[in-house]
Amino acid sequence: MSLKAAYRGVGAKRPRPTVAQRRANRDGWSMALPITLIVLAVIIVPIIWTFILSFQEARYSDVARNGMFNPLTLSNYTDVLTSAGFWESLWVTVLYTAGTTIGSIVVGFAAALALRGAFRGRGAVRAILLLPYVAPVVAAAYVWKVMLNPQYGVINELGTTYLGWEQSIDFLGRPPFALLTVIVFEIWRYFPFAFIFFAAALTGLSRDIEEAALIDGATPWQKFWHVITPQAMPVIALLTLLRLVMTFNKFDDIFLLTGGAAGTQVAAVRVYDQLVGSSDIGGASANAVLLALVLGAGLTLYLRLTRQKES
Amino acid sequence: MNSFRIQTEVFRFLKWALIVFLLIVTIFPFYYMIVMSFVPIQDLLRNPLALVPDIGQLTLDTYVRVIAPEGDGGFGFGRFMLNSAIVATAATLLTMLLSVPASYAMTRLKFAGRKQVSAMFLAVYMFPAIIIAVPVFVGFQVIGLGTTLVGLTIAYIALTVPVSVHMLRSYMLGLPESIDEAAMIDGATRWQIMRKITVPLSLPTIMSTALYSFMIAWNEFLFALLFLSAKPDLWTVSLGLTRLADGQEVSRTILMAGSVLLTLPIVIMYGFAERWLTEGLTVGADKG
């Protein structure tokens, strides 16, 4: 590699691409270019722009007038880092992400195990279990809100009538309950996602090892813990990664359920509040960049830990 | 009874208990949504536990009001559903039109820059909507696409591309390359091979990918909120529903009727294509 680099370094002519290579380039780019441009324009450029905006004291009117070129400053970052709200939202986000990721994976795994053996109607059960995942988030959130309403919600009515609750619980409006409720909602919505992955992985497992374990007298628990779970580890690792990334920046679910009130202001909702509520584009961008950094650091740590375990 | 027998029994019991519990938990909210959308609001307030409604009391008034245009004292959901359908269909068709060739190129052609392009599509996974929302919102405002369905469609294409390309590529990787080579020897161009061989062979995955894109676009909320808030006649169903919920005087039964209208198309599509969808989503998952 170094030889090649040195070869290029002295400015020597690169070896001419072969005809096949040139054709591959032409065909490849003609096929992949349009979508690449859209992704560049709508995702990559905005990411870079977010980074630039985070160093500018930018309001909407400044951006409309000057585009990317506003005076540079570090004040957004000092503002964000010194505000108690930022650290609190970060902590809430971490709790929310951890609770949701672990919860949805555990429930999804349990569901996949329960539906592993064939029984009549299994296909229908499987299809029904995916409903929370395919249903639109807005509709799901509002049904939960109506069900959990302290005045006429069915859950509180059940609780006070049959479970002996002294009074209705304001599930989405009081601090410890609100965050818990939002986590439960998110587990409800995303356990099917984990379930699909586990179900696919479990059908791929060879039954031979389990039969061998059975002959050796392994109990069901031992079979689960020593035979099935180790084989499901790659799926667990993949799901953890996917869920961590997707939940950490989650916006819709909390915004719709609580609007970020009662101790549920996760980072993404905070960014939105800064952007729309106080139209502080620079501050929102700085917040978003810091979020991406925290997520990146978390992922690096996670990958490092799992890799160490593997080797 | 030895511990083996006890555990087997316990596990069997837990298994069925879990299945029943999960079924109740997944079905109940949707059942509740449907029931509440048909009962008069007084009934809900008088007796919140009336989960099996009195058939004679059921009413369609909620739906009539929700669908009717605002001019007629309704909430305009007919209009919203049309907007959602237009945006989701356009975004899905364009996504497929663009991502099928791109996926083919990235599976079969070793063109210069392929690695970078595929790394970029992966990186997109890492940067979710809220981070790019700020500049996309501002940028689209500046070039005049801010409050249009066209702008929203473009944003949805970008949101669905990473998943689409991933699903299509995972499938195409499993198709034998020898067919392509044979066709090449017969003088077919890459575009012809893709259109006449790869597309027909990948049709199931193309369908499930299209469905998945449609679902993402139909269900999306954040971009619709940012782009269209100022223009009620362009609202999608998701956005219209949140505006409905913000109105204090709007009854909860109306809200539930709107929720049913938002959910129904997705559940119907899902009912037709459940198998494709779950298979498409996990294809290649075991390979990382």
Side-chain angles (χ1 to χ4, degrees):
Chain A
M1 182 232 134
S2 62
L3 190 70
K4 214 167 154 191
Y7 188 68
R8 274 188 208 159
V10 287
K13 234 163 74 178
R14 270 196 228 180
R16 234 175 113 76
T18 62
V19 177
Q21 180 59 45
R22 268 185 294 159
R23 188 186 288 162
N25 285 347
R26 195 195 61 210
D27 288 343
W29 276 111
S30 70
M31 289 174 161
L33 190 63
I35 207 82
T36 308
L37 286 180
I38 292 187
V39 171
L40 267 177
V42 181
I43 295 181
I44 305 297
V45 169
I47 289 171
I48 297 166
W49 197 1
T50 303
F51 188 72
I52 297 170
L53 280 171
S54 72
F55 291 101
Q56 299 176 343
E57 197 84 61
R59 303 266 146 188
Y60 176 66
S61 53
D62 304 319
V63 181
R65 205 177 328 115
N66 307 328
M68 295 194 187
F69 308 102
N70 291 292
L72 297 178
T73 167
L74 274 175
S75 71
N76 292 322
Y77 284 95
T78 52
D79 286 352
V80 170
L81 288 171
T82 53
S83 78
F86 170 75
W87 295 103
E88 205 186 304
S89 76
L90 198 59
W91 175 236
V92 173
T93 311
V94 169
L95 285 180
Y96 173 69
T97 308
T100 306
T101 303
I102 295 169
S104 62
I105 290 177
V106 168
V107 178
F109 194 19
L113 286 170
L115 270 83
R116 195 176 177 210
F119 57 86
R120 200 200 297 214
R122 182 174 69 159
V125 173
R126 201 203 310 254
I128 289 170
L129 290 191
L130 298 186
L131 276 181
Y133 176 64
V134 294
V137 58
V138 178
Y142 284 134
V143 188
W144 274 61
K145 266 179 115 163
V146 172
M147 290 196 309
L148 295 171
N149 187 290
Q151 275 109 46
Y152 52 79
V154 65
I155 301 295
N156 271 308
E157 200 64 24
L158 282 174
T160 45
T161 315
Y162 296 111
L163 300 176
W165 296 355
E166 304 226 325
Q167 61 188 69
S168 300
I169 298 172
D170 191 358
F171 283 103
L172 292 166
R174 285 241 314 273
F177 296 115
L179 185 59
L180 270 176
T181 309
V182 164
I183 289 174
V184 171
F185 175 78
E186 201 68 0
I187 293 174
W188 178 78
R189 232 162 77 73
Y190 286 103
F191 90 82
F193 182 81
F195 166 67
I196 306 175
F197 278 75
F198 280 121
L202 286 182
T203 40
L205 288 192
S206 117
R207 291 259 178 181
D208 295 354
I209 310 176
E210 283 167 60
E211 274 158 24
L214 199 66
I215 291 165
D216 289 346
T219 63
W221 172 259
Q222 286 170 328
K223 192 179 90 177
F224 160 73
W225 192 247
H226 295 291
V227 180
I228 298 176
T229 307
Q231 295 187 81
M233 271 330 260
V235 183
I236 296 178
L238 173 70
L239 279 169
T240 310
L241 194 70
L242 290 175
R243 293 307 332 150
L244 277 182
V245 174
M246 293 181 194
T247 322
F248 190 81
N249 293 286
K250 198 86 201 167
F251 167 79
D252 306 11
D253 307 53
I254 290 193
F255 179 78
L256 291 165
L257 283 173
T258 68
T264 60
Q265 198 194 41
V266 291
V269 173
R270 193 175 156 79
V271 171
Y272 175 84
D273 287 343
Q274 278 173 312
L275 178 68
V276 175
S278 35
S279 68
D280 177 7
I281 296 177
S285 303
N287 210 329
V289 170
L290 287 169
L291 269 187
L293 286 178
V294 172
L295 182 62
L299 286 183
T300 315
L301 188 71
Y302 172 80
L303 288 176
R304 212 158 281 146
L305 285 177
T306 46
R307 212 160 277 164
Q308 245 168 27
K309 234 180 198 166
E310 267 169 34
S311 62
Chain B
M1 224 181 187
N2 59 19
S3 83
F4 182 87
R5 284 286 299 281
I6 296 172
Q7 275 196 28
T8 308
E9 288 304 311
V10 168
F11 268 62
R12 190 207 299 279
F13 171 76
L14 284 179
K15 171 184 147 179
W16 288 106
L18 182 71
I19 291 175
V20 170
F21 171 77
L22 288 176
L23 278 177
I24 293 174
V25 172
T26 42
I27 294 175
F28 183 73
F30 297 101
Y31 171 76
Y32 188 73
M33 184 200 285
I34 293 168
V35 169
M36 289 306 124
S37 70
F38 285 110
V39 301
I41 182 70
Q42 301 87 339
D43 288 13
L44 167 64
L45 296 178
R46 202 180 314 128
N47 182 10
L49 275 182
L51 290 176
V52 185
D54 181 356
I55 305 285
Q57 288 295 311
L58 295 187
T59 168
L60 278 172
D61 286 358
T62 42
Y63 284 93
V64 174
R65 279 201 68 197
V66 161
I67 294 175
E70 301 218 18
D72 301 345
F75 293 97
F77 265 57
R79 171 93 238 168
F80 301 160
M81 290 186 79
L82 188 66
N83 290 337
S84 278
I86 292 171
V87 172
T89 309
T92 305
L93 288 180
L94 288 168
T95 301
M96 297 320 294
L97 215 60
L98 297 173
S99 61
V100 168
S103 308
Y104 178 81
M106 284 159 70
T107 348
R108 287 285 190 260
L109 296 168
K110 293 184 175 47
F111 60 95
R114 178 176 74 148
K115 281 202 182 115
Q116 286 78 355
V117 172
S118 94
M120 183 180 91
F121 282 9
L122 257 183
V124 165
Y125 268 123
M126 300 283 147
F127 293 93
I130 189 71
I131 291 184
I132 59 169
V134 185
V136 170
F137 171 58
V138 177
F140 274 29
Q141 289 291 359
V142 172
I143 58 174
L145 284 175
T147 36
T148 64
L149 292 183
V150 176
L152 195 64
T153 306
I154 295 175
Y156 286 176
I157 294 173
L159 287 186
T160 52
V161 159
V163 187
S164 309
V165 171
H166 172 75
M167 283 167 76
L168 291 168
R169 268 185 74 189
S170 307
Y171 187 83
M172 288 177 185
L173 278 172
L175 297 176
E177 206 166 345
S178 51
I179 311 178
D180 294 35
E181 282 156 12
M184 294 268 278
I185 292 168
D186 288 345
T189 67
R190 284 293 182 178
W191 280 94
Q192 285 170 331
I193 296 172
M194 184 201 76
R195 272 211 318 270
K196 301 217 169 106
I197 299 173
T198 312
V199 167
L201 284 177
S202 317
L203 214 52
T205 302
I206 291 177
M207 290 307 290
S208 66
T209 309
L211 251 145
Y212 197 66
S213 308
F214 188 91
M215 272 172 49
I216 295 179
W218 179 276
N219 293 355
E220 206 280 340
F221 167 64
L222 172 62
F223 278 83
L225 175 70
L226 283 174
F227 280 38
L228 305 176
S229 280
K231 275 229 176 143
D233 53 324
L234 294 181
W235 287 353
T236 59
V237 192
S238 283
L239 182 58
L241 196 58
T242 62
R243 297 293 109 150
L244 201 61
D246 290 345
Q248 290 304 321
E249 75 285 3
V250 175
S251 79
R252 301 299 101 174
T253 52
I254 295 266
L255 187 61
M256 290 298 96
S259 301
V260 170
L261 291 179
L262 172 60
T263 313
L264 207 58
I266 289 300
V267 171
I268 290 173
M269 291 182 94
Y270 167 69
F272 280 115
E274 179 246 337
R275 168 116 292 163
W276 290 350
L277 206 66
T278 50
E279 275 169 14
L281 202 60
T282 48
V283 78
D286 45 341
K287 290 169 214 119

